[in-house]
Amino acid sequence: MEYTRENLEGALNHFFGYSQFRMNQLPIIEQVLAGRDVLAIMPTGGGKSICFQLPAMLLPGLTVVISPLIALMKDQVDSLKANGIYAAFLNSTQTPDEQREIIGDIRAGNIKIVYVAPERIPANPQPFIDFLKTLNPSLFAIDEAHCISSWGHDFRPDYLKLAVFKQAFPNIPVLALTASADVTTRNDIVDKLAIRGCQQFISSFNRPNISYFIRPKDNPIFHITNYIIKNRESSGIIYTLSRNSTEEIAGKLLKAGIKAAHYHAGLDPVKRAKVQEAFQKDEVQVIVATIAFGMGIDKSNVRFVIHHDMPKNIEGYYQETGRAGRDGLPSEAILFYSAGDFMKLRNFAQVDGNPEQTSINMSKLKMMQQFCEADTCRRQFLMNYFGEQFPPYCGSCDYCQSELEQTNATIDAQMFLSAVVRTGERYGVGYLIDLLRGSASEKILPEHKQLKTYGVGKHHKKEEWEWIANQLLVHGFIDRTDDKFPQLRLNEKSHAVLRGQTEIMLVKQKPKAPQVTEEMPFDADLLKLLKATRQYYAELEHVPAYNIVSDNTLLEMATYLPSNNSELRMISGFGDYKVEKFGAEFLKDIREHCRRYNLVSKINQKRTKKEVTPSAPKLSDTKTASFKLFKDGYSLAAIAEMRGMSEQTIEGHLTYFITTGEIDIFNLVSLENYEAIKNAVGMLKNPNALKPIKDLVGDNISYSQIKWVLEYLKTER
Ligand code: ADP
Ligand code: ZN
């Protein structure tokens, strides 16, 4: 059967209530339906499930999904059932009777998708294969496919058995899915699954709806508490390094009246399951956890992820922050960074008797530190780390949202370096700072208290000196030994600074406080009613609330106020089945609310059934991003290319800064052209129509230039 984009979109809409495919969903699905093997790499929250769930509904037989996460199977199956799709799972949590019943249902053709845990495949797979043959499979989907690779971070030997699918069913497509990007793992997956000729689809790892913030670790609990209190309605995760601190921090949050719980691998399994469930059901607002928390979590409306301590590497950071915002709504990742954490983690990076592993750990840790200290867009840094190009301004990280301040730090640098020299290049950052600040501590040797540098640095706080020292390290003005107690050493660049031959200019940000949600024109009171109704359905169906409908769907309802079934169908996330099953109560809420406040449906303002994407940076940010690039000397075309926007859009952004006076018109238009345009305007009756001006000035002057001059003339008036 031939599938066109239109009828696939129709099917997506019918079953899942979404009107458009995301990223590579469409080509992946087309390939799978054409019977070809595919490797799909998409970031967490990208929408991998649809890639096999939709084909499952269109193919004649059964779709077998292999997934390692038993805890997630139930959730996935529940969410399919909420869309009226017949699905089931087979794993070790079921009794033989339960399993028999499910198999009966499959044989009867009542089930389209079955989730199977890899350990269900026996070492001698023949009986299992024979059994599968009786079920008429149409597609094998291997979720978390990186588990097959010992190169990946989560190797599971049971996955190696999955090669059997391609061998036993050469004509049935295998779809491997993962969020792990590196090439070695990728090659290993296609190798081990025996799908070497498959098509590979690799999506961008950018998560545009997550904003990244790095803040100095200065009384973090205070800041975290305030942040959570300001964002009462938002779920979040706080990651810390040690088990003890999960309990301690959760305790402090509880005292502040925040519904918090702690989680780590040392808790007994019953307690762990309880905490997870309470979080899934929004009974607990915040989880304070070690990195053990997350693998089994599929909560789509996590609004913030806070790192109380620095993670060990960027992969971990990306994965943990990636648990925020799977529903596509704006979310925040906040990391509290201190150089002290780096020192702590250095010790953990050491693997006794394994220098190779130690050195890998160390270089990953250093990269993480660089990320925290770099004077660049955080998103760009992350994307580059994962091998993707990205423009230098994203508009939604602390760097891009901050005002930058250049300071001449030459004198401070000289002070610091001379402290290094005078103490014989034998000390680390902490000691030198104490010395510079004239600490009375006994740790400072008496002879060092006699030095001229002792106490000359009182004008800076400890944190400021730490920052300066780190900048010197990052920019190579000083070296650090790799010992357990690292010592600072001068290098050639340091000598140049000391001799006054090099100036040191450091860029400092004036960070703005992160704010969780952007303002959307939704009705907050109505949203509360709708949430309660969702909770009602969730309890009725015994599933987590977001399985009924996502937060985004609630927001859309509270924004567009649909008044009947067909309008509800226009809301993203409402497929035919969901409208039928859950529509009535939601509509009742909306109607009553509209009656009380005299409101009417705004559904016609929703031109397409597009997702509300408040995830794009705010207009003012996006304008500023273009402006910054322009100031850096990029051409209009280059900026458009880098930002993935049209030249016209960029031109519009720049126009704004002409009106504010921040861009000088003569940076954009030559004096000669300016005069020509101005003369033409003077000759015309309607001085705002572009075409007549263009006719007068000729081909050498672009429409953009005309527009800019017109704007400029307006501000002159
Ligand atoms: P992944 O498995 O890649 O982490 P999921 O498959 O769980 O991601 O999808 C994340 C969320 O995005 C889910 O809530 C899903 O329903 C939603 N989603 C997937 N595809 C689309 C789409 N085309 N339009 C709107 N929402 C989608
Ligand atoms: Zn940025």
Side-chain angles (χ1 to χ4, degrees), residues 376-380 390 392-401:
T376 57
C377 167
R378 309 288 177 200
R379 194 181 308 276
Q380 184 194 35
F390 204 84
Y393 293 97
C394 74
S396 53
C397 72
D398 57 323
Y399 176 84
C400 292
Q401 294 192 355

Side-chain angles (χ1 to χ4, degrees), residues 12 18 20-22 25 43-50 326 611:
L12 177 74
Y18 303 134
Q20 282 161 325
F21 288 104
R22 279 188 188 162
Q25 283 176 335
T44 308
K48 285 186 281 297
S49 317
I50 295 284
R326 295 181 64 149
E611 285 174 85

Side-chain angles (χ1 to χ4, degrees), residues 42-154:
M42 255 189 227
T44 308
K48 285 186 281 297
S49 317
I50 295 284
C51 297
F52 54 83
Q53 289 171 346
L54 189 65
M57 302 314 292
L58 302 175
L59 291 166
L62 179 70
T63 289
V64 178
V65 185
I66 303 294
S67 165
L69 304 168
I70 296 183
L72 291 193
M73 283 185 186
K74 187 171 170 333
D75 201 63
Q76 289 236 358
V77 168
D78 284 344
S79 107
L80 284 166
K81 283 186 181 160
N83 275 317
I85 294 172
Y86 296 102
F89 59 87
L90 287 173
N91 67 33
S92 50
T93 65
Q94 295 154 322
T95 63
D97 274 347
E98 283 172 322
Q99 300 198 11
R100 256 193 296 281
E101 194 180 324
I102 291 164
I103 290 163
D105 275 348
I106 297 174
R107 287 231 163 82
N110 290 337
I111 284 180
K112 291 297 295 174
I113 304 181
V114 64
Y115 285 78
V116 179
E119 50 273 17
R120 286 268 324 174
I121 304 172
N124 166 19
Q126 201 50 51
F128 181 73
I129 295 297
D130 294 339
F131 161 70
L132 275 185
K133 282 191 173 146
T134 66
L135 299 182
N136 181 27
S138 287
L139 168 64
F140 296 108
I142 320 281
D143 209 0
E144 313 286 345
H146 59 276
C147 292
I148 205 168
S149 170
S150 50
W151 293 97
H153 52 81
D154 191 24

Side-chain angles (χ1 to χ4, degrees), residues 542-612:
H542 304 290
V543 297
Y546 59 81
N547 268 347
I548 301 296
V549 290
S550 74
D551 283 13
N552 191 34
T553 304
L554 290 186
L555 269 182
E556 284 207 359
M557 284 193 273
T559 305
Y560 297 111
L561 314 175
S563 62
N564 54 39
N565 274 0
S566 65
E567 292 190 0
L568 196 58
R569 203 47 195 76
M570 306 267 291
I571 299 291
S572 181
F574 266 108
D576 288 325
Y577 181 83
K578 269 191 187 168
V579 169
E580 188 69 27
K581 179 131 191 216
F582 305 121
E585 289 297 314
F586 287 120
L587 283 175
K588 209 164 105 197
D589 288 343
I590 299 169
R591 282 197 207 111
E592 272 172 21
H593 185 83
C594 287
R595 202 171 305 134
R596 182 172 313 152
Y597 294 100
N598 222 352
L599 302 170
V600 290
S601 163
K602 293 194 263 183
I603 201 76
N604 54 0
Q605 294 181 18
K606 193 170 160 63
R607 260 154 294 157
T608 63
K609 189 178 161 160
K610 229 173 151 176
E611 285 174 85
V612 180

